[in-house]
Amino acid sequence: MTADQIPEFVAEILATGCPIYALGRSTYVIAEFVLPEELSESVSDEVNAICERYGDRSHLQLEIAAYLRSIDHGIEDPSEILH
């Protein structure tokens, strides 16, 4: 994955109905665990396919987190995800 693909990657993840959040300034989480049980398997399969298609993102962790914060998908307290 390249830095210019970050907005497209995030948009595709969000289009599945699965939330994605920056946690603080240095990391992010794809929050499959907050999905209703009846959707979790199909959405998980979609998310995994997207992640495989984009490939390794570890070198872009800070940039992805920054982009997520820029679109109001950043949180400081992980417990906020569950609300």
Side-chain angles (χ1 to χ4, degrees), residues 10-82:
V10 169
E12 285 190 40
I13 296 294
L14 290 172
T16 69
C18 185
I20 181 172
Y21 300 101
L23 296 178
R25 301 222 170 261
S26 62
T27 194
Y28 68 96
V29 62
I30 298 172
E32 294 178 60
F33 59 88
V34 300
L35 295 171
E37 189 175 327
E38 63 274 7
L39 296 176
S40 65
E41 187 174 340
S42 65
V43 172
S44 181
D45 290 346
E46 284 182 71
V47 167
N48 287 332
I50 292 165
C51 290
E52 286 181 29
R53 192 169 59 252
Y54 281 91
D56 183 36
R57 302 173 307 283
S58 60
H59 61 288
L60 296 170
Q61 188 167 324
L62 293 173
E63 291 89 342
I64 294 170
Y67 177 74
L68 288 165
R69 285 191 316 277
S70 78
I71 62 166
D72 294 325
H73 280 262
I75 58 173
E76 295 301 321
D77 180 1
S79 69
E80 292 177 42
I81 293 173
L82 301 174

